[in-house]
Amino acid sequence: NNSNGNFDRNVLPKSKKKRSNLPKQSTSILLNWLNNNLEHPYPNSKEKIDLMRKTGLTSQQLSNWFINARRRKIQVLRVVKK
């Protein structure tokens, strides 16, 4: 609350983390994998561990990236590949 009893909208709760983009190199590695696996864009456990090691991302970051990529990038990659 500020001095007049209203909430200050410019102050984020402490639990909120600032969102930032993944490193370009990590994104490049993931896009390359995706582009080579368009027919089945779901890495298996071994592939996930390998991608985590190569990119330095956590399991959660990797999962979220693939969820978003399958929604946003697959159609574009398939068109470009033709």
Side-chain angles (χ1 to χ4, degrees), residues 32-43:
N32 187 47
W33 188 94
L34 189 65
N35 200 35
N36 290 328
N37 294 275
L38 288 175
E39 294 305 309
H40 187 74
Y42 298 87

Side-chain angles (χ1 to χ4, degrees), residues 6-67:
N6 295 325
F7 286 99
D8 188 341
R9 292 172 191 205
N10 296 324
V11 178
L12 290 174
K14 284 189 172 80
S15 63
K16 288 280 186 189
K17 296 265 193 239
K18 181 184 178 301
R19 193 192 80 77
S20 60
N21 293 331
L22 298 178
K24 293 257 189 285
Q25 188 177 3
S26 297
T27 305
S28 175
I29 291 166
L30 296 174
L31 274 172
N32 187 47
W33 188 94
L34 189 65
N35 200 35
N36 290 328
N37 294 275
L38 288 175
E39 294 305 309
H40 187 74
Y42 298 87
N44 63 33
S45 299
K46 231 175 149 178
E47 289 168 320
K48 282 182 190 174
I49 290 167
D50 188 46
L51 288 169
M52 284 168 57
R53 188 182 52 75
K54 287 179 180 173
T55 62
L57 301 180
T58 66
S59 177
Q60 187 67 65
Q61 286 173 309
L62 202 64
S63 292
N64 288 340
W65 189 89
F66 274 102
I67 289 165

